C-alpha cells in the first residue's frame, strides 16, 4: 500500500486502532474481575505496565507512518529560516533565476506564436498544399492546366482537392464607396477541403465554378459588418466585382475565417481573369488536399511526381524539370519554416543561453553558500543527523528557491504578454500569444534541476571529509580548491556565452542601423500612398491608363495641401517586381540570368520619393515612347553589374521571368522593352530588406494597371489621404481604393521584424551581461572575504596596496581572457547563423566584435576592481584580531 | 515477576509469529498465550504488543480480519501470511541454532576450563 493511500485511510485506521485497543482493555478487565480484582485496579495496573492508551496509539502510529514524511514540515520551516538568514544571497538567486526564466518564457511564447498559430481549420497539419519547383530550385505556383491534370490523376487525397489564386478584388459602388479588398479565387471544393462552412448562406457549388457561370461571391464577416451593417438580407444582393462583373452575394464566412490570411472576398476560381487562356508557364495557383489517415507528405509526392513527369514529357517547352513542391498548410503559413530552421531557434537558443548563464550564477551563489554551510552541516552530522536528513533539508531549500523564482517568472511573463498583446495588433494571421503549460513545466524542471544540483553541493562535500575537519576550521570560511575551480570555470563559460549573445545583439543592431541609413534616402514625411488598380474592362489600353493618371495627377496637384504626386509599381518599403537581366552591353550575364528588382516609375518619382538622383537626369516625357527606351539604375546595380566606368549610356536587356512568383502579389505587366539605355543613377534605397540591384523603367513605356500612388502634402498626412480619395472619386467614381497609408507607417512596419529581433537580442544580451558581471563580482567579493587573513598577513609583512589589488585583478583578468578566447569562436558561429537567417546581416564584423569584447572587459574589470579595492583597505591588525 | 526487558531484542516478533501460526487469534489472546506457554516468564505489555503487531502487519508478515468474537464485540484477528510463515521458519531455525551455540558455550562440558 502506498503512503498517500494510507493518508487517505487515516481516519479508518484510527478507528480500527481504537476499537482494537479497547477490545484488549475490556478483555483484560473481564479477566481481572473474574479473578477478583476491581476494574479500577486493572486499569491502573495496565497504565503502569504500558502507559496510557494514547501513548500506545502513538507508538502504533509510528510503526505505520512513513518516516520521510514525518518531519518534512519541520524541514520546510527550517529551510525558510536558512534562506531568510541570508537574505541578499537568496534574493539574488531568486531574481536571477526568475528573470532568466521570465525572458526565456516570453521568448519561447512569442516564437511559438510565430510558428504554431491558432488556425480556425480542422487539423491544418493534415492539409497538404502543392506548388512547383524548377531545376534551379525556384518555387512557383501551379498553372490552371497543370492543376486540372494533377487533380484528375491524383489518387492520394482524402476527399476532393482544390485550387486557389490570390488577387485583389474590388467591390463596386452599392450604397457604399467602391473598395479594394484582399481576395481569393477558389475552386468549388476549397472550403470542403478546409472543412469550413459559411455562417450565412451557402458554399460555392460546382455549378458556380464553370466558365460562363453567373458570378457569385462569399464575403468575410468583417465586410459583412463594416459594409453591410451585419444585415441578414445581404444574401442575394448584387454587387459589381472588379469594376464590371455583377455578382450575387451567396454566403458570409464566420468570424476569423479569412483563408488564406487576410481575405475578405472569395470568388469562384472560374472568375479569375485570364484563367481559361492561361499558359502552362504562368503559375498563379496553389492546390490543397487532405492527407488520408496515416499518410505523410511523401505519399503525396510519390503520387504527384509521375504526373508531373508525364506533363514534362507532354509539354517540354513549359513543364520541363517542373516538380511538385509539397508542404502542409501549417508549414506554408509559417513561411515554410520548420522548428529546425535557424530563424526559429536563434531566439530560442539565445534564451536557453541566458538561462544557462543564470543557472551558472545560481550555481556559484549556492557553491559560495556551501562554504558557509559546511560548518553547520558538520555540526549537525556530529550530533547525529543522518546524511539523508541533511540532503533532504538542502533539497527542500532548493525546491523553495525554485518555486518562488518560478512563480515570479510566470507572473512576470504573464504581465509582459498582457502588455504586449494589448499594445500591438497582430501583424500575422492567426497569431496568438498565450501561456503554454508544457513550457511552464519545462521551465519548472530546469529551475528544479539547477537548484537541486548545486544546492546539494554543500552536503556532498561536507560528507566527503571527516566530521572533525569541518568542526576544526573554526569560524573561517573555506572552499576546497576543487569547488573554486568550478566557480571560475562557470564564470568563464558565462563570459563566453555573453560575448556571443552581445555580439549577436550588435550584429542585429547594425543591420537595423543599416536600415536607418538606407531609409534616409527616402522622404517619408507628409507622404501617403495607396494602390491604384485600374480594371481591365474600363482601362484596357496603355493610353487609357496614361490618360487616367494624367487626369488624376492634375486633379491632385490642384488640390489644396498637395505638394507633389507620383506613381511607381511599388511604394517604398513594399516588395517590387523582378525581371531577368539577360545581357549587359550585349554580353550575356549568366545562365540562368540573374533576377534584378524592377520598378516602373514616373519621372517625378526620384525627386518626390527619393532625394533626387546621384548621377544623370530623370526620365523626360519622351522616355518610354518607341525609340526612347531608357532606364535608371541604382548604385548597387552599378557596382554589381557595371564595374568601372560611367554607367551612363550602357545598355541592358531585361526579360520577364517565366516562373511568376505569385505569392509576392506582383502586378502583371505586359512585355517590357527588350533593350534599354542607362541615363541616370539613383541612390540605394530599401524596398524590403536591403539595397538590391534595381532597374527603374519609365512609366509611359508600360503604364501597368496596378501601381502605387505616392502623394506628398504640405503637412498633416490626413489631409493627404482625404485629397487622394477626393481626387480619385472625381476622376472615376467607380474606381475602388484600398487602404491609404503614410510612408512612415510602411517604413515602421517594414522595420518591425529586425527591430523586434534587435530588441530581443539586446534584452537577452544585456541580461547576460548583467548576470555575468554580478556573477564575477560576487565571486570576487567572496574571494576577498575568504582571504581576509591572508591579505592581512601580507600587508602586515609589507605588501603594497597595488600588489594586493593585483592579486584579485589577476583572477578577473584570467576569467575575462579565457572567456574571450572561448567566446570569439562562439560569437562567429552565432554570427553565421544570423547571416544564414537574415540576409544582409554580416557574419563577421570586426567593429562589433571588438566593441563587444571591450564592453565585456570593462564590465569584468569593474566587477573585479571594486572587491579588489576593498581588499586593499583591510586593516591588518583588525583582521588578524578576529581570529 | 520477570522484567519485560529480559526479552532479547527482536525475539518478540518471533514469538508473536509462532503464536499466530497456530491459527487466527486476537491481540489479547496472543499476550495470554505467551504468558501461559512461557509459564509467566514472558509478559508482554500492551504498549509493546500492539506496535509489534502493527509492525508485522505493515511488513506483510501478518494479516488481520475483523470478526465478531464470543463477547459480541468486533475483534481484530491476526493470521500468518505465507511471507510470515517463511519468516517464522527462517527466524526460528536461526534462533534455535544460536541458542544451542550459546548453551554450548555457557555449559562447558568438563575439561575445557
Amino acid at each position: 500500500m502506498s503512503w498517500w493511500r494510507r493518508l487517505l485511510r487515516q481516519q479508518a485506521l484510527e478507528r480500527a486502532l481504537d476499537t482494537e485497543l479497547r477490545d484488549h482493555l475490556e478483555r483484560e478487565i473481564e479477566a481481572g474481575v473474574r479473578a477478583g480484582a476491581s476494574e479500577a485496579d486493572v486499569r491502573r495496573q495496565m497504565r503502569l505496565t504500558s502507559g496510557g492508551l494514547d501513548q500506545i496509539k502513538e507508538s502504533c502510529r509510528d510503526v505505520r507512518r512513513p518516516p520521510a514524511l514525518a518531519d518534512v514540515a519541520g524541514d520546510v520551516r527550517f529551510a525558510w529560516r536558512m534562506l531568510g538568514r541570508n537574505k541578499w544571497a537568496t534574493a539574488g538567486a531568486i531574481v536571477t533565476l526568475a528573470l532568466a526564466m521570465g525572458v526565456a518564457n516570453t521568448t519561447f511564447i512569442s516564437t511559438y506564436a510565430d510558428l504554431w498559430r491558432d488556425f480556425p481549420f480542422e487539423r491544418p497539419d493534415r492539409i497538404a498544399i502543392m506548388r512547383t519547383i524548377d531545376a534551379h530550385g525556384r518555387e512557383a505556383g501551379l498553372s490552371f492546366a497543370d492543376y486540372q491534370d494533377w487533380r484528375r490523376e491524383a489518387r492520394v487525397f482524402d476527399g476532393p482537392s482544390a485550387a486557389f489564386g490570390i488577387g485583389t478584388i474590388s467591390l463596386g459602388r452599392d450604397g457604399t464607396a467602391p473598395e479594394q479588398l484582399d481576395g481569393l479565387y477558389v475552386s468549388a471544393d476549397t472550403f470542403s477541403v478546409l472543412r469550413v462552412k459559411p455562417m450565412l448562406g451557402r458554399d460555392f457549388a460546382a455549378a458556380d465554378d464553370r466558365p460562363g457561370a453567373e458570378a457569385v461571391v462569399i464575403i468575410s464577416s468583417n465586410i459583412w459588418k463594416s459594409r453591410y451593417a451585419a444585415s441578414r438580407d445581404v444574401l442575394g444582393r448584387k454587387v459589381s466585382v472588379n469594376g464590371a462583373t455583377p455578382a450575387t452575394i451567396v454566403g458570409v464566412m464566420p468570424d476569423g475565417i479569412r483563408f488564406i490570411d487576410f481575405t475578405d472576398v472569395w470568388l469562384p476560381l472560374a472568375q479569375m481573369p485570364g484563367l481559361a487562356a492561361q499558359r502552362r508557364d504562368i503559375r498563379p495557383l496553389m492546390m490543397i488536399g487532405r492527407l488520408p489517415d496515416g499518410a505523410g507528405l511523401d505519399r503525396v509526392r510519390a503520387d504527384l511526381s509521375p504526373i508531373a513527369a508525364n506533363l514534362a514529357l507532354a509539354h517540354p517547352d513549359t513543364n520541363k524539370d517542373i516538380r511538385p513542391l509539397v508542404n502542409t498548410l501549417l508549414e506554408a503559413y509559417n513561411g515554410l519554416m520548420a522548428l529546425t530552421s535557424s530563424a526559429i531557434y536563434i531566439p530560442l537558443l539565445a534564451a536557453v543561453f541566458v538561462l544557462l548563464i543564470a543557472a551558472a550564477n545560481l550555481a556559484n551563489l549556492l557553491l559560495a553558500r556551501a562554504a558557509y554551510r559546511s560548518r553547520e552541516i558538520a555540526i549537525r552530522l556530529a550530533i547525529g543527523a543522518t546524511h539523508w536528513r541533511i540532503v533532504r533539508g538542502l533539497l527542500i531549500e532548493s525546491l523553495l528557491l525554485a518555486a518562488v523564482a518560478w512563480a515570479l517568472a510566470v507572473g512576470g511573463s504573464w504581465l509582459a504578454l498582457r502588455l504586449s498583446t494589448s499594445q500591438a495588433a497582430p501583424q500575422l494571421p492567426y497569431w496568438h500569444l498565450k501561456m503554454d503549460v508544457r513550457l511552464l513545466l519545462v521551465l519548472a524542471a530546469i529551475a528544479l534541476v539547477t537548484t537541486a544540483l548545486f544546492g546539494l553541493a554543500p552536503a556532498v562535500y561536507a560528507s566527503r571529509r571527516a566530521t572533525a575537519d569541518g568542526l576544526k576550521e573554526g569560524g573561517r570560511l573555506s572552499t576546497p580548491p576543487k569547488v573554486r575551480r568550478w566557480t571560475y570555470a562557470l564564470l568563464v563559460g558565462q563570459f563566453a556565452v555573453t560575448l556571443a549573445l552581445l555580439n549577436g545583439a550588435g550584429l542585429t543592431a547594425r543591420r537595423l542601423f543599416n536600415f536607418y541609413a538606407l531609409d534616409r534616402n527616402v522622404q517619408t514625411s507628409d507622404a501617403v500612398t495607396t494602390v491604384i488598380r485600374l480594371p481591365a474592362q474600363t482601362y484596357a489600353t496603355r493610353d487609357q491608363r496614361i490618360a487616367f493618371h494624367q487626369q488624376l495627377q492634375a486633379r491632385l496637384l490642384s488640390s489644396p495641401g498637395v505638394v507633389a504626386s507620383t506613381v511607381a509599381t511599388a511604394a517604398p518599403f513594399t516588395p517590387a517586381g523582378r525581371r531577368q537581366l539577360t545581357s549587359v552591353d550585349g554580353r550575356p550575364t549568366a545562365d540562368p540570368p540573374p533576377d534584378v528588382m524592377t520598378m516602373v516609375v514616373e519621372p517625378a518619382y526620384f525627386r518626390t520619393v527619393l532625394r533626387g538622383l546621384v548621377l544623370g537626369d530623370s526620365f523626360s516625357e519622351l522616355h518610354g515612347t518607341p525609340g526612347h527606351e531608357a532606364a535608371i539604375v541604382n548604385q548597387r546595380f552599378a557596382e554589381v553589374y557595371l564595374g568601372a566606368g560611367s554607367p551612363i549610356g550602357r545598355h541592358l536587356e531585361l526579360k520577364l521571368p517565366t516562373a511568376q512568383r505569385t505569392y509576392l502579389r506582383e502586378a502583371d505587366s505586359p512585355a517590357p522593352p527588350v533593350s534599354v539605355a542607362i541615363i541616370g543613377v539613383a541612390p540605394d534605397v530599401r524596398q524590403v530588406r536591403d539595397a538590391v540591384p534595381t532597374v527603374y523603367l519609365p512609366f509611359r513605356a508600360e503604364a501597368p494597371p496596378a501601381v502605387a500612388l505616392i502623394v506628398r502634402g504640405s503637412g498633416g498626412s490626413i489631409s493627404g489621404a482625404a485629397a487622394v480619395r477626393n481626387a480619385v472619386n472625381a476622376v472615376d467614381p467607380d474606381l475602388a481604393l484600398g487602404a491609404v497609408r503614410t510612408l512612415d507607417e510602411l517604413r515602421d512596419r517594414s522595420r518591425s521584424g529586425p527591430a523586434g529581433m534587435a530588441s530581443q537580442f539586446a534584452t537577452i544580451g544585456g541580461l547576460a551581461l548583467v548576470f555575468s558581471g554580478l556573477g564575477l563580482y560576487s565571486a570576487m567579493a567572496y574571494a576577498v572575504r575568504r582571504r581576509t587573513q591572508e591579505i592581512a598577513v601580507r600587508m602586515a609583512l609589507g605588501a603594497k596596496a597595488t600588489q594586493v589589488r593585483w592579486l584579485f585583478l589577476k583572477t578577473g583578468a584570467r576569467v575575462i581572457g579565457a572567456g574571450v578566447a572561448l567566446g570569439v569562436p562562439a560569437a562567429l558561429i552565432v554570427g553565421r547563423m544570423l547571416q544564414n537567417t537574415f540576409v544582409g546581416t554580416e557574419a563577421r564584423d570586426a567593429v562589433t566584435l571588438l566593441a563587444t569584447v571591450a564592453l565585456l572587459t570593462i564590465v569584468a574589470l569593474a566587477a573585479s576592481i571594486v572587491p579588489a579595492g576593498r581588499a586593499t583597505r583591510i586593516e591588518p591588525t583588525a583582521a588578524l584580531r578576529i581570529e | 515477576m520477570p522484567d519485560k526487558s529480559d526479552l532479547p531484542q527482536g525475539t518478540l516478533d518471533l514469538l508473536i509469529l509462532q503464536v499466530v501460526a497456530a491459527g487466527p487469534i486476537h491481540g489479547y489472546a496472543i499476550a495470554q498465550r505467551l504468558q501461559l506457554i512461557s509459564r509467566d516468564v514472558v509478559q508482554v505489555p500492551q504498549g509493546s504488543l500492539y506496535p509489534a503487531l502493527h509492525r508485522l502487519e505493515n511488513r506483510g508478515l501478518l494479516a488481520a480480519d475483523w470478526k465478531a468474537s464470543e463477547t459480541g464485540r468486533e475483534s481484530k484477528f491476526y493470521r500468518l501470511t505465507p511471507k510470515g510463515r517463511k519468516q517464522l521458519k527462517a527466524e526460528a531455525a536461526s534462533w534455535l541454532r544460536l541458542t544451542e551455540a550459546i548453551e554450548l558455550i555457557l555449559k562447558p562440558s568438563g575439561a575445557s576450563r
Side-chain angles (χ1 to χ4, degrees):
Chain A
M1 196 193 298
S2 43
W3 62 266
W4 59 85
R5 279 183 58 201
R6 206 170 285 138
L7 274 181
L8 290 177
R9 291 188 50 199
Q10 196 69 58
Q11 282 191 321
L13 280 173
E14 275 298 308
R15 253 185 325 227
L17 183 59
D18 192 64
T19 317
E20 185 180 19
L21 293 179
R22 279 187 194 287
D23 180 46
H24 184 102
L25 186 62
E26 305 267 324
R27 285 175 195 276
E28 196 89 55
I29 289 167
E30 278 164 26
V33 168
R34 241 180 286 135
S38 75
E39 191 182 324
D41 279 346
V42 178
R43 280 183 193 275
R44 195 165 50 87
Q45 181 61 35
M46 287 192 63
R47 247 197 308 279
L48 278 175
T49 52
S50 295
L53 202 59
D54 283 332
Q55 274 161 281
I56 301 173
K57 279 188 187 172
E58 185 58 27
S59 31
C60 286
R61 281 183 209 123
D62 271 349
V63 166
R64 295 184 173 269
R65 191 179 292 156
L69 207 65
D71 332 285
V72 166
D75 276 358
V76 170
R77 277 194 298 276
F78 180 71
W80 261 128
R81 270 208 309 281
M82 290 315 294
L83 289 175
R85 214 177 62 176
N86 220 326
K87 278 193 195 72
W88 285 108
T90 306
I94 287 178
V95 168
T96 303
L97 198 56
L99 266 177
M101 282 199 289
V103 166
N105 193 30
T106 39
T107 310
F108 273 74
I109 286 173
S110 47
T111 312
Y112 184 87
D114 254 358
L115 240 197
W116 309 117
R117 296 173 228 162
D118 274 352
F119 294 99
F121 321 121
E122 191 185 314
R123 301 291 312 269
D125 57 323
R126 302 298 298 164
I127 302 176
I129 182 161
M130 278 71 66
R131 298 173 302 145
T132 57
I133 186 164
D134 71 6
H136 300 291
R138 285 180 299 202
E139 297 166 12
L142 203 58
S143 69
F144 183 58
D146 282 356
Y147 157 64
Q148 286 175 309
D149 292 332
W150 286 22
R151 178 181 155 93
R152 194 177 53 247
E153 286 170 43
R155 295 283 169 270
V156 65
F157 299 112
D158 177 18
S161 55
F164 56 86
I166 296 167
T168 298
I169 295 175
S170 65
L171 294 183
R173 237 182 334 164
D174 60 347
T176 15
E179 223 175 335
Q180 254 181 48
L181 300 164
D182 282 344
L184 203 68
Y185 297 94
V186 297
S187 73
D189 288 321
T190 301
F191 292 120
S192 332
V193 174
L194 297 174
R195 299 190 182 156
V196 294
K197 287 193 171 64
M199 64 168 186
L200 271 184
R202 62 171 179 92
D203 193 356
F204 292 136
D208 298 322
D209 191 21
R210 285 194 187 118
E214 201 183 314
V216 287
V217 55
I218 294 177
I219 58 175
S220 72
S221 72
N222 279 13
I223 294 303
W224 181 54
K225 286 170 191 160
S226 67
R227 209 177 145 90
Y228 298 106
S231 139
R232 296 207 149 250
D233 54 21
V234 70
L235 297 179
R237 251 176 106 137
K238 296 256 181 212
V239 59
S240 85
V241 166
N242 289 342
T245 331
T248 313
I249 298 175
V250 294
V252 179
M253 278 292 165
D255 283 343
I257 299 287
R258 299 186 69 183
F259 180 78
I260 188 164
D261 46 22
F262 295 119
T263 304
D264 277 321
V265 187
W266 293 269
L267 284 176
L269 188 59
Q271 301 290 337
M272 193 169 188
L275 191 76
Q278 197 173 68
R279 286 170 22 197
R280 275 190 194 264
D281 58 355
I282 304 295
R283 304 190 161 91
L285 303 184
M286 287 178 249
M287 182 172 163
I288 51 171
R290 284 252 168 207
L291 293 172
D293 283 339
L297 294 177
D298 286 339
R299 280 263 294 276
V300 180
R301 289 186 191 112
D303 192 39
L304 293 179
S305 293
I307 305 174
N310 286 340
L311 287 174
L313 287 177
H315 309 278
D317 49 333
T318 53
N319 282 43
K320 190 170 170 284
D321 292 332
I322 297 292
R323 287 172 296 123
L325 178 66
V326 186
N327 297 96
T328 67
L329 189 59
L330 202 63
E331 290 168 338
Y333 266 117
N334 293 327
L336 302 171
M337 285 187 294
L339 254 184
T340 47
S341 87
S342 52
I344 291 308
Y345 74 27
I346 284 174
L348 297 191
L349 210 61
V352 167
F353 275 165
V354 101
L355 211 53
L356 279 179
I357 290 176
N361 244 6
L362 194 68
N364 275 341
L365 263 171
L366 292 173
L367 282 175
R369 229 167 46 131
Y372 291 105
R373 296 294 292 276
S374 60
R375 197 169 127 78
E376 169 216 324
I377 288 166
I379 290 173
R380 285 171 66 194
L381 284 173
I383 58 176
T386 58
H387 273 116
W388 164 235
R389 183 72 193 264
I390 285 175
V391 165
R392 197 176 70 199
L394 290 169
L395 269 178
I396 288 174
E397 271 178 53
S398 306
L399 195 100
L400 279 175
L401 209 75
V404 173
W406 183 79
L408 280 177
V410 171
S413 48
W414 183 77
L415 271 181
L417 286 183
R418 281 288 295 262
L419 276 177
S420 70
T421 38
S422 65
Q423 272 174 0
Q427 308 152 313
L428 297 162
Y430 316 121
W431 204 64
H432 210 252
L433 288 176
K434 59 173 188 230
M435 296 292 249
D436 187 87
V437 178
R438 283 166 297 176
L439 201 53
L440 297 181
L441 289 181
V442 168
L443 286 176
I446 291 173
L448 274 181
V449 168
T450 323
T451 49
L453 211 61
F454 293 102
L456 281 182
V460 170
Y461 81 83
S463 61
R464 274 221 196 114
R465 28 181 217 177
T467 308
D469 281 353
L471 292 174
K472 229 173 359 194
E473 257 170 48
R476 248 186 299 160
L477 299 166
S478 92
T479 354
K482 207 171 178 183
V483 172
R484 247 175 280 151
R485 272 203 297 278
W486 261 105
T487 303
Y488 289 119
L490 285 171
L491 282 172
V492 167
Q494 275 184 322
F495 273 95
V497 170
T498 304
L499 178 62
L501 288 178
L502 276 181
N503 187 59
L507 291 176
T508 47
R510 271 201 83 140
R511 177 173 141 83
L512 195 62
F513 293 153
N514 210 14
F515 273 23
Y516 286 129
L518 281 174
D519 293 352
R520 272 200 292 274
N521 290 333
V522 180
Q523 307 182 52
T524 57
S525 54
D526 301 322
V528 295
T529 180
T530 190
V531 176
I532 302 276
R533 225 172 271 272
L534 298 177
Q537 287 88 340
T538 25
Y539 298 93
T541 67
R542 192 185 61 144
D543 289 339
Q544 282 173 317
R545 296 193 290 267
I546 290 174
F548 169 86
H549 279 292
Q550 276 171 342
Q551 274 183 56
L552 181 62
Q553 211 72 281
R555 181 68 68 162
L556 276 168
L557 289 176
S558 66
S559 314
V562 171
V563 177
S565 164
T566 189
V567 151
T569 38
F573 319 116
T574 58
R578 283 169 176 279
R579 285 178 202 184
Q580 291 180 334
L581 179 68
T582 47
S583 79
V584 174
D585 292 330
R587 279 190 304 277
T589 41
D591 185 43
D595 280 353
V596 293
M597 191 172 278
T598 333
M599 296 258 289
V600 174
V601 298
E602 275 190 348
Y605 180 81
F606 300 101
R607 60 184 150 82
T608 309
V609 178
L610 308 188
R611 297 181 193 277
L613 287 176
V614 176
L615 204 64
D617 289 314
S618 184
F619 301 119
S620 71
E621 290 304 317
L622 204 61
H623 285 124
T625 55
H628 298 277
E629 288 83 10
I632 290 171
V633 298
N634 69 349
Q635 289 171 301
R636 189 99 188 86
F637 183 96
E639 277 166 36
V640 173
Y641 294 109
L642 301 179
S646 169
I648 307 285
R650 313 277 286 270
H651 286 268
L652 309 175
E653 256 180 33
L654 295 162
K655 203 177 115 191
L656 266 182
T658 44
Q660 298 262 357
R661 301 186 177 205
T662 51
Y663 42 85
L664 283 181
R665 298 179 187 229
E666 239 173 293
D668 45 334
S669 11
V674 170
S675 179
V676 291
I678 298 172
I679 59 163
V681 178
D684 287 342
V685 292
R686 171 177 76 85
Q687 287 302 130
V688 185
R689 284 174 177 152
D690 295 284
V692 294
T694 306
V695 178
Y696 295 93
L697 297 170
F699 177 76
R700 189 170 277 278
E702 312 183 7
V707 289
L709 174 71
I710 303 137
V711 174
R712 179 175 309 287
S714 53
S717 320
I718 299 126
S719 71
V724 168
R725 289 196 183 281
N726 290 339
V728 169
N729 194 45
V731 176
D732 181 352
D734 281 317
L735 188 67
L737 263 191
V740 181
R741 298 210 165 81
T742 66
L743 284 192
D744 284 319
E745 190 186 336
L746 290 184
R747 182 194 58 198
D748 293 347
R749 196 189 291 184
S750 75
R751 277 179 189 168
S752 67
M757 180 62 96
S759 78
Q760 214 168 30
F761 249 109
T763 311
I764 289 173
L767 210 56
L769 185 65
V770 170
F771 284 170
S772 306
L774 282 179
L776 183 60
Y777 173 82
S778 62
M780 297 304 278
Y782 172 72
V784 168
R785 245 186 307 168
R786 186 169 50 82
R787 294 170 71 178
T788 301
Q789 280 178 315
E790 179 204 329
I791 296 161
V793 170
R794 277 170 188 258
M795 291 180 79
L797 293 177
K800 289 193 188 71
T802 47
Q803 285 170 314
V804 170
R805 198 178 293 129
W806 178 239
L807 211 56
F808 293 97
L809 280 183
K810 201 169 59 187
T811 319
R814 256 190 228 143
V815 168
I816 182 70
V820 168
L822 282 176
V824 167
L828 292 178
I829 292 170
V830 171
R832 175 57 52 85
M833 288 168 65
L834 280 171
Q835 188 185 36
N836 288 345
T837 316
F838 306 105
V839 182
T841 312
E842 297 287 332
R844 275 187 258 186
D845 184 37
V847 177
T848 310
L849 197 56
L850 282 178
T852 314
V853 170
L855 179 63
L856 215 57
T857 311
I858 290 169
V859 167
L861 286 182
S864 12
I865 249 173
V866 176
R870 201 178 298 146
T872 63
R873 286 191 295 278
I874 289 171
E875 258 329 306
T877 44
L880 289 172
R881 215 183 306 134
I882 290 175
E883 192 57 3
Chain B
M1 190 165 81
D3 196 328
K4 61 173 179 172
S5 66
D6 280 350
L7 209 54
Q9 269 228 298
T11 45
L12 178 58
D13 287 5
L14 176 59
L15 297 183
I16 291 175
L17 289 177
Q18 175 66 35
V19 170
V20 175
I25 183 169
H26 54 73
Y28 177 77
I30 294 172
Q32 293 299 311
R33 189 77 57 86
L34 283 174
Q35 199 171 345
L36 197 70
I37 299 171
S38 69
R39 299 188 196 113
D40 283 348
V41 173
V42 176
Q43 291 191 29
V44 189
Q46 226 185 332
S48 306
L49 176 66
Y50 284 95
L53 281 172
H54 284 235
R55 187 167 54 239
L56 291 170
E57 189 187 0
N58 214 29
R59 281 168 60 198
L61 301 178
L62 291 182
D65 307 291
W66 286 89
K67 281 184 208 153
S69 67
E70 69 289 351
T71 57
R73 281 187 304 268
E74 283 275 290
S75 299
K76 193 176 179 186
F77 283 81
Y78 291 92
R79 61 185 159 78
L80 221 51
T81 63
K83 196 175 158 197
R85 199 168 295 282
K86 235 163 73 189
Q87 176 85 358
L88 171 62
K89 238 170 111 182
E91 272 193 37
S94 93
W95 179 258
L96 288 177
R97 242 193 347 268
L98 186 65
T99 46
E100 269 170 30
I102 291 172
E103 221 175 279
L104 282 176
I105 296 164
L106 293 181
K107 282 188 197 161
S109 50
S112 75
R113 250 222 171 131

